[in-house]
Structure formats: C-alpha cells, structure tokens
C-alpha cells in the first residue's frame, strides 16, 4: 500500500514538473514573447538580433548645433563599411586599393581582421570623391557612407551631457512610445545636461542601419542583399540649435586644463543677447561618474567677496556711502588685526582692495534699519532665483535649459533668524561667507546685468528646436524678468567700482591690466568649509569695460598657493575677443 502511494506521488510530481515545463515553454514561445521576465525582454526581437549582422550609421537620436550651425554632440565622418562574411576573392581589390591609395594586401588584411560589420580604420580621412567612386563599384558588403558618432564625453561635458540606456526611465517617461514600439527599453536617453532636459525632443524614433540576416553558421539567409533601414519620418531626427560658440567653448576648456583647474570652471555670456556662449565644469565625468561629478557652474557655491557687489549696491541705493569717510582696514570683522594691513580706506578703495571691515560696517548700518535688506538686494541682482531659461513648452510646464540648476541663498533654511542677527553674522553675510551661496551662472548673469545698466533676464542655452529640414519647431523667446531694478546712478557707480578693481594698482584684479582691453570685475576668496587651507577663488567680470560684450566668471574651488583664476580669466578673455573680432 505504501509503495503504491509513493508511486502515485512520484507520478503526480513528474506530471506537475512536465506541466511547469510546458507552461514555461508556452510562456517563452507564445505568451510573453514581447515582455519576458522582470526585465521585459522582447524575445522575438532578441531572436532576430541573433540572426542579424548590422552596422549603425546613425542612432536616430537628435543632436546639438552651436550658434553658427556646427555640430556639438556628434561627428559625421565618411567611412568604408565592410560586411566581412560577404567578402569574396572576386572583389576588385586592385581597383579599391587605387581609390583608397593603399596596397591591396593591406586592405585584405584589414578585412580579414574584422569579426562583424565594421568601418575600416583608414590612415587618412576618406574624401567625398573617394566615397562616390567606391559606391559606383556596387560591391555587395562594401559601402561608403557618412557615419554619425557621438563626440567623446570631455567636450562640453556638463552643459551638453551624456546619453545611455535607462530602462526604468523609458518606462516612466515614454510609456506611450514603448507601447507603440517606436522606442524600446534599450533606446538611449539623456542622463544629464541638455541631453536630459531636451530628451523629449531628442529621443530616437528609429536608427539608420545596414542590416544583413545570417543563419546559425553565419551564412546568408536571403542571398547577398544588405538592407538599408532608416526612419520613416523624413522630419526626424530633430536638432537643437544652441547658443554655444564652439570655438569659445574649446578655448574655455583648453585654458582650464592648461592652468590645471581640478575643481571649478567657467561661464561665458553674451552681454547683448544674454545667451550662454560657453560653460565648463571640472572635474569632468565619464560613463562611471556621471552622477558623481555635478556641474559646479549651476550648483551654488560660497561667493566670498563677489558678494560685496550686493552690499555695495545696497549702500549706494540707500545713501549710506560717504565719500570722505574712511574705514580702518587694518582690522578684520572679528575686531582683530587683519593679515592684510591696508590702512585707512574710503568706500571705493575698500571695494577695489576688498576690505572686509568696510562692508561689514556698512551691512550692520543697513540691517539696523531693514532686517532683510541684504536679501532684498541680492534678489534685485538676480542671485537668489533660477537664472537659466525656463518656461512652458507644449505640455512641459517647467521646461529648463539647464540641468538641475540650483537657486542661491542668504541664510540656511534650517537655521533660525536670530542666528543671523549678531553684528558678526551680519558682517560675514555681507562679505559672502557664513551661509551665503550663489551659482557661478547667477554671478555671470549679475555681471551681464550690471554691464547692460540694470536689465536682468534669464540666460538662454538654446535658440530653437528644429526639424531635420531646418524648419523651426520651438523658438525660445527672451525672458526678461527685472527691468531697472536698481537706479541708473547705482548701476553707474557699480560699473565704476568694478573698473577700479582692475585699474587700481593696488586693486585685487590689477593683474588683468596687461590685457589689450579694459576688464571690469571683482575678485572673491572664500574659505571652503572647515578646510583651513582650501579656498574657493573667483573672478567675475565683463569686458571690454567701455563697450561690454562678454560677461565671464572663473571659479577655482581647489585654490591653494597658486592664483589660477586671473590667469585663466586673462587667457580666455583674450581668445574670446580674438574670436569675436574674426566673426565680425
């Protein structure tokens, strides 16, 4: 009896196992063919991929152009594409070698080394004439083609950003496209920078490829025909025309590297249009550190004496400046002897030589009448809000040109108001220390605002989004926020103060006197947290001072004994002016 029960149990177990295997097989073959397992694998597509040799000419993703129409995010190069399994001895190798000006054996050697469809690594760039002659031969498996490839990450690293696969993001943002089959979970999306913010316009609607089907042994399935597959909509891919000047961007990156700025960066703005011309942040990221190294130009930093511009503006506007009054600049805001013995200075001298005591005293005088006056003037100069372009674009209510831009702050929101009411706390705030934080982008925009005489507007990083044929899809109009928020007299005084920082032989920016044009600006040095020997060094300004064209901010967040900021600023400014003169 026991033996019979065991037999039945074993039989039932085997039957259940067979049923499970049958269900599993049915699931694979019939039920979950397009969404198998928790990873939603498309088994039909994967099966096709195993039997397909392909070469991608263009991934179908939209791209970025600079303000002059030059490619920023991609390179387009003429290349020879070879399907090695279609190579036959009757190929006209001699004719091909004559066109490419390479020995026949060298070409055969390159082909034999290929394991899959690839572009030949030629010693010289292919010309369009050579491309046409190759294609006239009509050789199966050999094609001359303009191939699009993404630029290496270091160029315009943080402002343009990177792309990569993110199945979760695809499911979250593009469920409708995923359901329609226009995208897959393997479609690349923007990870950061403008690649992320403009991703809805840039995401690929289909790749352009050479496709060739083979059997298990790699032999042709459908003869020697290689298919050419491309997007069905001729208006795609879209492209973004940015405001960036490629040559100026290259100059900014080059001099940050030459002067070994390890942490920090630079922002360059066109004063007249308030458009971003260049932005670079250090350290750059790679595919493994995309989320580790943020864009320091759009995240808030300790401004140090850059913030004295705000205190000066408040003092001028509120009639607290007495031209004949002198301040004891041998003493610091702590009431002790200062490291720099500057002597007795008036207001203008205090600004150009960056005396902390003067601006600490003025701030206390101002706050005695209005507790929020420093915050009010920081807001008038645009330091406490988003400075990058943002607004409604189609159904995107808060579309932004800048990825994860931060707003500035005067106080830490987690602290109490009374923490900022002591004379020392007021003085520290007045000179851009304590909990004051602004972004370098905001600082550059403030300089552009002062250079224009007071009109503030958001900084644009893109002019438009266009169809493939150049027709405009979206135009980004100027967003003017504050108009003449400070009196013309105050703006004129600020301009004069900024010029004197460089003109004054004892001014903190006097090193820029060697340039062939006048620079107006302000230096800033801020202690970085608790690290006593590590400072954030700034130079923010505009040039030429008598006819402002460019606002530039340079930040070195790992300043030690070497003053890099003015050297970087001088080199960038000089090249930018040269480029500008040539473009005009």
């Amino acid at each position: 009896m026991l033996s019979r029960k065991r037999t039945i149990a074993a039989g039932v177990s085997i039957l259940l196992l067979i049923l499970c295997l049958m269900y599993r097989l049915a699931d694979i073959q019939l039920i979950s063919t397009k969404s198998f397992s928790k990873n939603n694998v498309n088994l039909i597509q994967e099966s096709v991929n195993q039997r397909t040799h392909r070469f991608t000419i263009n991934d179908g993703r939209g791209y970025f152009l600079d303000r002059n129409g030059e490619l920023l995010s991609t390179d387009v190069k003429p290349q020879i594409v070879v399907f090695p399994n279609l190579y036959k001895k009757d190929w006209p190798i001699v004719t091909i070698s004559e066109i490419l000006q390479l020995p026949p054996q060298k070409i055969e050697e390159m082909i034999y080394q290929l394991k899959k469809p690839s572009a030949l690594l030629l010693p010289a760039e292919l010309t369009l004439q050579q491309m046409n002659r190759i294609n006239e031969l009509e050789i199966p498996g050999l094609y001359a083609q303009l191939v699009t490839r993404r630029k290496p990450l270091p160029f315009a690293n943080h402002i343009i950003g990177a792309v990569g696969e993110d199945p979760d993001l695809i499911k979250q943002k593009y469920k409708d496209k995923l359901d329609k089959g226009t995208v897959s979970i393997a479609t690349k999306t923007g990870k950061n920078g403008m690649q992320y913010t403009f991703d809805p316009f840039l995401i690929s609607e289909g790749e352009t490829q050479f496709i060739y089907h083979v059997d298990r042994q790699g032999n042709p399935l459908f003869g020697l025909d290689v298919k050419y597959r491309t997007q069905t909509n001729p208006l795609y891919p879209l492209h973004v025309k940015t405001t960036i000047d490629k040559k100026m961007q290259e100059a900014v990156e080059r001099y940050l590297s030459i002067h070994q700025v390890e942490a920090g960066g630079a922002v360059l703005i066109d004063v007249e249009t308030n458009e971003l011309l260049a932005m670079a942040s250090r350290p750059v990221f790679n595919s493994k550190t995309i989320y580790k190294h943020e864009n320091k130009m759009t995240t808030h930093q300790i401004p140090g004496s850059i913030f004295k511009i705000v205190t000066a503006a408040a003092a001028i506007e509120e009639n607290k400046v007495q031209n004949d009054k002198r301040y004891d600049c041998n003493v610091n805001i702590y009431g002790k002897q200062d490291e720099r013995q500057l002597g007795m200075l008036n207001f203008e001298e205090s600004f150009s030589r960056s005396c902390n005591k003067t601006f600490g005293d003025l701030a206390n005088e101002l706050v005695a009448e209005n507790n929020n006056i420093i915050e009010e003037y920081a807001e008038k100069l645009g330091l406490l809000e988003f400075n990058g372009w943002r607004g409604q674009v189609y159904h995107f209510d808060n579309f932004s040109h800048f990825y994860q831009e931060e707003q500035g702050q005067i106080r830490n929101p987690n602290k109490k108001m009374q923490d900022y009411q002591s004379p020392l706390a007021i003085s520290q705030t007045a000179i851009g220390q304590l909990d004051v934080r602004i972004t370098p982008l905001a600082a550059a925009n403030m300089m552009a605002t002062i250079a224009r005489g007071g009109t503030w507007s958001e900084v644009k990083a893109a002019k438009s989004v266009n169809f493939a044929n150049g027709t405009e899809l979206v135009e980004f109009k100027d967003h003017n926020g504050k108009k003449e928020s400070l009196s013309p007299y105050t703006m004129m005084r600020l301009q004069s103060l900024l010029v004197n920082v460089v003109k004054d032989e004892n001014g903190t920016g006097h090193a820029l006197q060697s340039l062939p044009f006048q620079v107006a600006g302000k230096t800033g040095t801020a202690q970085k947290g608790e690290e006593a020997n590590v400072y954030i060094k700034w130079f923010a300004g505009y040039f030429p001072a008598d006819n402002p064209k460019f606002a530039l901010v340079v930040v070195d967040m790992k300043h030690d004994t070497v003053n890099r900021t003015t050297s970087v600023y001088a080199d960038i400014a000089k090249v930018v002016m040269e480029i500008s003169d040539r473009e005009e």
Side-chain angles (χ1 to χ4, degrees):
M1 187 69 178
L2 185 61
S3 176
R4 187 166 180 270
K5 287 183 178 180
R6 287 177 176 172
T7 302
I8 293 172
V12 170
S13 298
I14 292 171
L15 181 61
L16 289 172
L17 180 61
I18 292 172
L19 289 173
C20 288
L21 290 173
M22 289 177 66
Y23 174 78
R24 183 67 168 173
L25 185 61
D27 188 36
I28 294 172
Q29 296 284 349
L30 302 172
I31 302 171
S32 302
T33 55
K34 292 187 177 181
S35 183
F36 181 71
S37 80
K38 64 180 182 180
N39 295 318
N40 296 320
V41 178
N42 189 324
L43 295 174
I44 296 174
Q45 184 63 49
E46 290 302 317
S47 174
V48 172
N49 289 342
Q50 285 183 351
R51 303 192 311 273
T52 304
H53 286 183
R54 67 185 72 219
F55 182 89
T56 301
I57 300 165
N58 187 314
D59 63 9
R61 183 172 177 81
Y63 51 93
F64 294 93
L65 300 176
D66 87 336
R67 66 174 181 165
N68 298 312
E70 292 194 45
L71 285 167
L72 282 177
S73 57
T74 55
D75 275 325
V76 178
K77 292 184 178 180
Q79 293 184 320
I80 300 291
V81 181
V82 175
F83 283 70
N85 55 331
L86 292 181
Y87 173 67
K88 291 187 175 182
K89 292 294 183 183
D90 60 357
W91 270 18
I93 289 294
V94 175
T95 305
I96 296 170
S97 71
E98 290 175 355
I99 294 173
L100 300 181
Q101 298 180 347
L102 290 172
Q105 59 270 25
K106 177 66 176 177
I107 296 173
E108 288 187 321
E109 183 183 319
M110 286 192 289
I111 293 173
Y112 284 134
Q113 288 177 351
L114 301 178
K115 304 296 181 186
K116 60 181 181 180
S118 306
L120 292 182
L121 298 175
L122 302 175
E125 186 169 307
L126 199 66
T127 66
L128 294 177
Q129 184 180 13
Q130 288 173 314
M131 280 182 59
N132 292 332
R133 290 181 64 189
I134 288 289
N135 288 331
E136 285 170 1
L137 297 175
E138 297 184 351
I139 304 169
L142 184 75
Y143 310 95
Q145 187 66 236
L146 290 171
V147 178
T148 302
R149 288 292 180 263
R150 305 219 158 271
K151 281 184 178 291
L153 281 177
F155 180 77
N157 191 254
H158 288 86
I159 183 62
I160 295 297
V163 295
E165 293 184 11
D166 192 335
D168 292 334
L169 185 64
I170 289 286
K171 295 172 195 172
Q172 176 189 340
K173 290 179 65 175
Y174 304 108
K175 187 178 183 304
D176 56 334
K177 291 178 180 287
L178 192 61
D179 293 340
K180 291 177 184 176
T182 55
V183 302
S184 72
I185 57 172
T187 300
K188 292 182 178 179
T189 59
K191 307 291 280 185
N192 60 355
M194 294 176 76
Q195 291 283 14
Y196 180 90
T197 56
F198 283 84
D199 196 60
F201 297 106
L202 301 174
I203 191 164
S204 175
E205 298 280 341
E207 298 176 324
T208 300
Q209 297 177 321
F210 284 126
I211 297 177
Y212 183 61
H213 297 286
V214 297
D215 62 17
R216 187 174 179 180
Q217 284 73 39
N219 298 317
L221 267 181
F222 307 115
L224 301 179
D225 289 337
V226 175
K227 296 181 180 179
Y228 180 82
R229 185 176 72 181
T230 188
Q231 291 189 22
T232 56
N233 191 335
L235 295 177
Y236 286 80
L238 303 177
H239 61 268
V240 178
K241 187 169 185 181
T242 72
T243 62
I244 295 169
D245 187 297
K246 186 178 180 181
K247 293 176 182 176
M248 293 182 185
Q249 178 73 33
E250 289 170 344
V252 167
E253 302 211 29
R254 180 167 67 252
Y255 287 112
L256 287 174
S257 297
I258 287 173
H259 291 282
Q260 300 179 334
V261 177
E262 297 178 10
V267 180
L268 179 68
I269 293 175
D270 185 308
V271 168
E272 183 180 354
T273 63
N274 221 52
E275 295 175 346
L276 181 76
L277 296 174
M279 176 182 283
S281 177
R282 295 291 186 272
V284 297
F285 61 81
N286 55 38
S287 58
K288 295 180 180 179
T289 59
I290 287 177
Y291 302 117
K292 182 180 179 182
H293 299 314
E294 63 191 4
N295 185 351
K296 291 178 172 56
M297 301 301 98
T298 54
T299 53
H300 55 218
Q301 315 296 341
I302 310 168
S305 293
I306 295 293
F307 197 75
K308 288 174 184 171
I309 296 170
V310 174
T311 309
I316 296 167
E317 192 86 350
E318 300 295 327
N319 295 316
K320 298 298 180 185
V321 176
Q322 301 175 37
N323 294 328
D324 57 346
K325 183 176 180 179
R326 294 190 171 269
Y327 300 84
D328 186 359
C329 292
N330 290 328
V331 178
N332 60 29
I333 60 173
Y334 301 95
K336 299 178 181 178
Q337 185 171 321
D338 196 78
E339 292 179 2
R340 297 184 305 147
Q341 294 293 287
L342 299 175
M344 300 297 292
L345 303 179
N346 64 20
F347 174 72
E348 288 194 356
E349 292 167 337
S350 295
F351 189 88
S352 65
R353 301 172 197 184
S354 207
C355 170
N356 291 338
K357 185 69 165 60
T358 301
F359 292 91
D361 288 354
L362 283 169
N364 274 279
E365 189 178 344
L366 288 161
V367 170
E369 298 178 5
N370 180 349
N371 208 32
N372 295 313
I373 195 163
I374 295 177
E375 193 163 7
E376 288 174 8
Y377 276 86
E379 193 169 334
K380 286 181 179 183
L381 286 166
L383 296 179
L384 304 185
E385 53 195 289
F386 294 116
N387 277 258
W389 193 99
R390 57 181 58 224
Q392 184 170 359
V393 178
Y394 292 120
H395 58 278
F396 305 107
D397 293 331
N398 202 23
F399 188 87
S400 173
H401 284 192
F402 294 88
Y403 175 71
Q404 293 186 345
E405 181 194 354
E406 293 180 348
Q407 292 176 277
Q409 67 173 45
I410 300 300
R411 306 181 183 94
N412 186 327
N414 298 318
K415 289 184 180 180
K416 297 178 181 178
M417 186 64 183
Q418 51 262 39
D419 294 332
Y420 299 95
Q421 293 178 334
S422 70
L424 177 58
I426 293 168
S427 294
Q428 289 175 316
T429 300
I431 64 171
Q433 289 283 170
L434 200 56
D435 292 318
V436 178
R437 301 289 185 274
I438 66 172
T439 67
L441 175 63
N445 199 17
M446 175 178 68
M447 286 298 170
T449 301
I450 295 171
R452 284 191 298 268
T455 304
W456 183 94
S457 64
E458 293 176 355
V459 180
K460 288 199 298 187
K463 292 176 180 287
S464 61
V465 179
N466 306 301
F467 290 110
N469 63 4
T471 304
E472 197 172 85
L473 173 64
V474 178
E475 179 189 6
F476 299 106
K477 296 184 181 297
D478 295 343
H479 281 179
N480 294 325
K482 300 177 177 59
K483 296 184 178 180
E484 309 299 340
S485 57
L486 296 176
S487 69
Y489 173 75
T490 298
M491 281 297 172
M492 183 183 68
R493 286 292 302 270
L494 288 177
Q495 291 171 349
S496 176
L497 290 171
L498 294 170
V499 167
N500 285 336
V501 169
V502 178
K503 284 182 71 174
D504 185 348
E505 288 298 327
N506 295 309
T508 54
H510 73 276
L512 295 171
Q513 290 178 0
S514 60
L515 286 170
F517 47 86
Q518 179 68 56
V519 173
K522 184 73 186 76
T523 57
T525 304
Q527 187 171 327
K528 191 177 178 181
E530 301 299 323
E531 301 176 69
N533 297 319
V534 179
Y535 295 87
I536 300 177
K537 196 80 173 177
W538 297 66
F539 192 90
Y542 58 86
F543 56 92
D546 57 347
N547 182 26
K549 291 184 178 181
F550 306 101
L552 173 64
V553 169
V554 175
V555 187
D556 179 10
M557 296 176 60
K558 224 172 178 183
H559 174 73
D560 36 44
T561 58
V562 181
N563 186 355
R564 303 178 186 88
T565 50
T566 50
S567 299
V568 175
Y569 198 100
D571 286 341
I572 292 174
K574 189 174 181 181
V575 172
V576 164
M577 284 298 293
E578 290 171 356
I579 294 170
S580 175
D581 291 341
R582 287 198 299 270
E583 290 181 349
E584 289 179 356

